[in-house]
Amino acid sequence: EVQLVESGGGMVQAGGSLRLSCAASGFPWDDYVIGWFRQSLGKEREGVSCISGSDGSTYYADSVKGRFTISSDNAKNTVYLQMNSLKPEDTAVYYCVIVKKGSYFNSGGVAWWGQGTQVTVSS
């Protein structure tokens, strides 16, 4: 059974940092990319970042490039999202997701969603 369990969300001031964790299990890592979507109030879900379960290659949305870093510890079945220089517009529920290789990294390509963790950035 696929399990995606997020942790690390919270409230920080603008310019601060948070590190999200996703404990991901129940699927063959080599066949998926693992990453993060987010959804702000009144906005559609958007892909933030992902990392290949096989070779570690990464993707970042333009809005977070240079501020966020995704990484994985395959031995611990955990993916991390280090978020630095946070802005109020980063406020959202962040969801850990898996996408099967060959599918696009968009909402339609997501095979499984985590429960989400709230990130709030105050100005």
Side-chain angles (χ1 to χ4, degrees), residues 51-122:
I51 186 167
S52 171
S54 57
D55 63 11
S57 58
T58 59
Y59 158 84
Y60 298 94
D62 288 343
S63 58
V64 306
K65 200 169 296 181
R67 300 187 297 121
F68 291 10
T69 303
I70 194 167
S71 61
S72 63
D73 186 338
N74 293 36
K76 295 182 178 180
N77 295 135
T78 302
V79 171
Y80 305 95
L81 186 68
Q82 179 66 45
M83 306 185 295
N84 297 328
S85 302
L86 283 162
K87 305 174 181 179
E89 48 263 49
D90 295 318
T91 295
V93 177
Y94 284 71
Y95 298 91
C96 184
V97 304
I98 59 172
V99 177
K100 192 170 179 63
K101 294 284 181 62
S103 297
Y104 291 109
F105 186 63
N106 57 29
S107 293
V110 173
W112 201 271
W113 299 83
Q115 83 284 354
T117 185
Q118 177 70 46
V119 171
T120 302
V121 184
S122 61

Side-chain angles (χ1 to χ4, degrees), residues 30-49:
D30 285 354
D31 293 338
Y32 288 83
V33 297
I34 306 96
W36 299 88
F37 272 66
R38 67 185 182 186
Q39 185 167 27
S40 302
L41 287 174
K43 297 183 178 180
E44 297 186 32
R45 284 176 288 185
E46 61 176 343
V48 177
S49 182

